[in-house]
Amino acid sequence: MNKGDLVNEVAKVVSSKKEAQAAVDCVLSTITDALTGNDAVTLVGFGTFKAVERKARKGRNPQTGQEISIDARKVPKFVPGKALKDALK
């Protein structure tokens, strides 16, 4: 399923595809804004989105084998909730 498929599913519940697109975009931008602000987004039964800090580390260029340093950075992380885990059994 991609974003277009998700919009089509939401459009079945709301009155138009345009409103569904706006709703999906609003949810995704709100989650992005929350993660940017270091807030976690918890959807009970579904899971939690949060930003985690990755430490700086050493890596290797696969073409040359030369060692390179990879800077520390924040990355998004999703932890599934119990209901989602149970649904996949």
Side-chain angles (χ1 to χ4, degrees):
M1 177 177 272
N2 59 30
K3 187 176 176 181
D5 296 335
L6 184 60
V7 169
N8 290 335
E9 289 298 314
V10 174
K12 292 177 184 176
V13 177
V14 297
S15 59
S16 71
K17 191 169 180 179
K18 186 176 181 180
E19 286 181 13
Q21 178 73 44
V24 170
D25 287 342
C26 179
V27 168
L28 296 178
S29 67
T30 302
I31 291 172
T32 302
D33 292 344
L35 293 178
T36 302
N38 258 354
D39 292 331
V41 178
T42 302
L43 306 172
V44 176
F46 184 71
T48 302
F49 296 92
K50 56 186 170 182
V52 295
E53 183 76 29
R54 252 193 208 161
K55 296 180 192 176
R57 58 193 167 95
K58 298 288 183 189
R60 291 210 178 269
N61 181 332
Q63 290 180 332
T64 64
Q66 178 184 7
E67 190 174 271
I68 58 173
S69 64
I70 301 171
D71 296 334
R73 62 183 185 159
K74 288 185 181 181
V75 295
K77 181 177 181 181
F78 176 73
V79 179
K82 183 178 181 336
L84 181 59
K85 288 181 191 177
D86 291 344
L88 296 177
K89 286 186 178 178

